[in-house]
Amino acid sequence: MGLRLVGSRVQRFPFERTASPTQLSGSSGAGERKIWNRRASGFVPGWRSGAKGNTRDKERKGTRSGSEEAMATRVRKFGAPLYCCAWIGSTLEGEVQALVVGGGGGKGAHGIKNRLVVAHFDEEQGLTDEVSSCSTGERTPQRMAAHPNGKDLLVSMDDGCVLYRARRDDGNGPGYSRVSVQPADDSSTSLSNLPSDIKCMKFSANGEKLVIGCEDGSVFLYTWPDLQVVLQETGERALKDSVTGIDLNDEGDMLLATSYDGNCYIWNIREEKIYQLRSNKAEKSSFRGCGFSSDGKHVFVGRNSKSDAFVSRFAMKTWEMEKDVPVMKGQAITTFECCPNRTHLALGGSEGEVVVVKACPLRVQNRSKKMHMVFVTAASFSKAGNTALTVSADASAVCTSTKSKSSKGSSLLLSLIVLLLAILAYHVLYTS
């Protein structure tokens, strides 16, 4: 059962469940999945490898426009509040991209299970329903970080961290592929020394370091997987407020962190220096999220003012703010993520808005309002950086393309210009 907000009331509603492997084996098409739908009182066709779109969405195509149809395949509900997400399986064999969302109802018997849910995504087929899941018992997934190897997934729970590992299952016939996650029992990494009040965490680009920011303002940098402490800023050396964003540059020798009180700190680990960035705006601001630029000369920071939200760019040479771009009106940034190649930023808002910002030049590229019913809790980019995944406490997951929405129109205009030039050339050549 899931929860749906209707006015001021909360009502329960059934959600779809993945069929078991024995049920899958009886499917009519090669590699076809079937989903048990309680409202349909039976099995309905689901996503399958090689299919041109989601079958159930095709059946409803006549009632929706083309843009609504395309967006519908990128939005899914997973029956429980979602707090974290990540992409996995990008380096496994096969063409399917896999992603993980995590959440649940917390401790106690609320009827909403705590679990990690795996889904598949494809540019043409969109986002699938659940293909596999892993129960986390009484522990609720709060934060997660995917290792660059595409297999390891570090998940922060209420009382500590657990390492999960992705695997691919091809045992249900040609064309069928499913990714699942399970606890990495064979791991030699001891996670007991990691903090429990984690607000954000991230692996370095080469996967050799892990950086963690905590509720009390503490910042930790470890080597991976042996978890040797490289940097530990605690107590008086910690940030004065909760850590809201954290990032490492591609070389792994500079660490960037923002706090709720409107401060941003940069640690130069090699030179053992600390720099502090402040907003030069008169109004009081809080920072939410951060990231390094692709050229290594700038940093980006999400900034919430009294009523609106901005993305600020600071020059690392002078540590001064160079540009401040408004990204949301009447709401605050609740999540901030920088893509692996550092060309785009994904922002989630307190009213469910999703904004994709192009890093250079700094400008809003895509804006999708009311993609979630409530505030966005987490965001993550695919390894290629062309799709941003966002999740929310309303149980929804949304995949947003980083491509400009006007790209199709621009391509059509370019094609028309080429056609007209070709006609003109033909006319001039054969009439003269």
Side-chain angles (χ1 to χ4, degrees):
M1 300 289 288
L3 297 178
R4 175 179 294 159
L5 183 63
V6 181
S8 60
R9 297 179 295 108
V10 176
Q11 69 181 39
R12 295 183 178 274
F13 66 97
F15 60 91
E16 297 166 352
R17 297 181 296 178
T18 308
S20 65
T22 55
Q23 293 165 339
L24 290 171
S25 61
S27 57
S28 57
E32 182 176 356
R33 290 180 61 243
K34 289 189 175 183
I35 304 296
W36 178 261
N37 191 314
R38 299 172 92 180
R39 285 165 288 186
S41 300
F43 285 100
V44 295
W47 179 88
R48 62 177 180 178
S49 178
K52 297 297 183 181
N54 186 286
T55 308
R56 286 170 294 137
D57 287 333
K58 283 185 176 181
E59 294 171 356
R60 297 192 295 266
K61 189 172 183 179
T63 63
R64 296 194 295 228
S65 65
S67 60
E68 290 174 333
E69 176 69 23
M71 182 53 66
T73 61
R74 291 176 174 262
V75 181
R76 290 284 181 240
K77 293 269 189 169
F78 291 99
L82 302 177
Y83 307 119
C84 51
C85 61
W87 295 79
I88 59 169
S90 56
T91 61
L92 298 176
E93 296 180 4
E95 299 177 356
V96 175
Q97 295 185 77
L99 54 90
V100 182
V101 297
K107 293 183 179 180
H110 303 291
I112 302 177
K113 297 180 179 180
N114 300 312
R115 58 182 187 150
L116 301 174
V117 178
V118 180
H120 292 166
F121 176 79
D122 182 85
E123 285 289 342
E124 293 184 359
Q125 299 162 344
L127 179 61
T128 72
D129 291 302
E130 170 191 334
V131 297
S132 66
S133 67
C134 179
S135 173
T136 58
E138 291 287 312
R139 310 168 78 186
T140 306
Q142 300 285 344
R143 305 286 184 268
M144 65 173 61
H147 193 273
N149 64 13
K151 298 180 181 180
D152 292 340
L153 184 70
L154 184 63
V155 181
S156 171
M157 308 286 188
D158 309 284
D159 55 355
C161 293
V162 179
L163 183 65
Y164 289 83
R165 187 152 293 146
R167 65 178 184 180
R168 185 181 176 215
D169 179 16
D170 296 321
N172 288 283
Y176 179 80
S177 174
R178 183 179 69 173
V179 176
S180 62
V181 293
Q182 296 294 332
D185 297 330
D186 60 333
S187 173
S188 59
T189 303
S190 176
L191 306 177
S192 59
N193 293 331
L194 293 180
S196 58
D197 58 341
I198 295 175
K199 293 293 291 183
C200 45
M201 58 183 180
K202 194 171 189 177
F203 285 101
S204 61
N206 59 11
E208 295 179 356
K209 292 178 182 176
L210 171 68
V211 60
I212 292 176
C214 301
E215 178 73 31
D216 62 357
S218 299
V219 176
F220 299 87
L221 179 63
Y222 302 94
T223 58
W224 185 266
D226 53 359
L227 294 180
Q228 297 296 314
V229 177
V230 179
L231 179 72
Q232 181 174 318
E233 299 291 287
T234 58
E236 295 183 355
R237 296 175 60 88
L239 278 65
K240 303 305 180 184
D241 210 331
S242 175
V243 181
T244 58
I246 206 158
D247 194 22
L248 281 167
N249 66 347
D250 291 339
E251 291 75 22
D253 58 0
M254 297 196 75
L255 190 156
L256 177 65
T258 55
S259 65
Y260 186 79
D261 62 359
N263 286 311
C264 178
Y265 295 89
I266 299 177
W267 287 264
N268 188 321
I269 300 169
R270 289 182 180 176
E271 299 179 4
E272 298 183 351
K273 293 182 179 180
I274 303 176
Y275 305 94
Q276 184 177 6
L277 305 180
R278 289 184 180 272
S279 170
N280 57 10
K281 302 297 179 180
E283 73 271 22
K284 185 177 180 180
S285 302
S286 64
F287 285 160
R288 187 76 185 205
C290 54
F292 286 95
S293 65
S294 58
D295 60 7
K297 298 179 180 179
H298 301 87
V299 295
F300 302 102
V301 177
R303 185 176 68 86
N304 291 328
S305 67
K306 186 176 181 180
S307 58
D308 301 328
F310 303 80
V311 171
S312 305
R313 184 180 68 197
F314 291 83
M316 295 179 65
K317 187 175 182 179
T318 62
W319 305 114
E320 296 291 333
M321 181 187 292
E322 287 187 341
K323 197 170 184 179
D324 198 41
V325 177
V327 291
M328 296 180 187
K329 282 192 170 292
Q331 61 182 305
I333 298 171
T334 57
T335 187
F336 181 110
E337 183 69 16
C338 183
C339 74
N341 55 19
R342 306 189 183 280
T343 58
H344 292 86
L345 310 170
L347 314 175
S350 56
E351 299 296 326
E353 185 171 341
V354 177
V355 178
V356 174
V357 176
K358 190 172 183 179
C360 185
L362 189 61
R363 61 177 175 83
V364 174
Q365 181 149 313
N366 287 337
R367 183 188 305 278
S368 302
K369 295 185 177 182
K370 299 294 182 182
M371 293 308 300
H372 303 276
M373 293 174 60
V374 296
F375 61 94
V376 183
T377 53
S380 179
F381 274 98
S382 61
K383 188 174 183 179
N386 56 4
T387 305
L389 169 67
T390 54
V391 296
S392 169
D394 68 352
S396 64
V398 177
C399 287
T400 304
S401 175
T402 59
K403 297 177 182 178
S404 174
K405 291 184 178 180
S406 61
S407 60
K408 291 185 178 179
S410 301
S411 300
L412 179 60
L413 179 61
L414 181 61
S415 299
L416 289 174
I417 292 174
V418 172
L419 179 61
L420 289 175
L421 289 175
I423 294 174
L424 179 62
Y426 177 85
H427 177 75
V428 171
L429 180 64
Y430 285 95
T431 56
S432 59

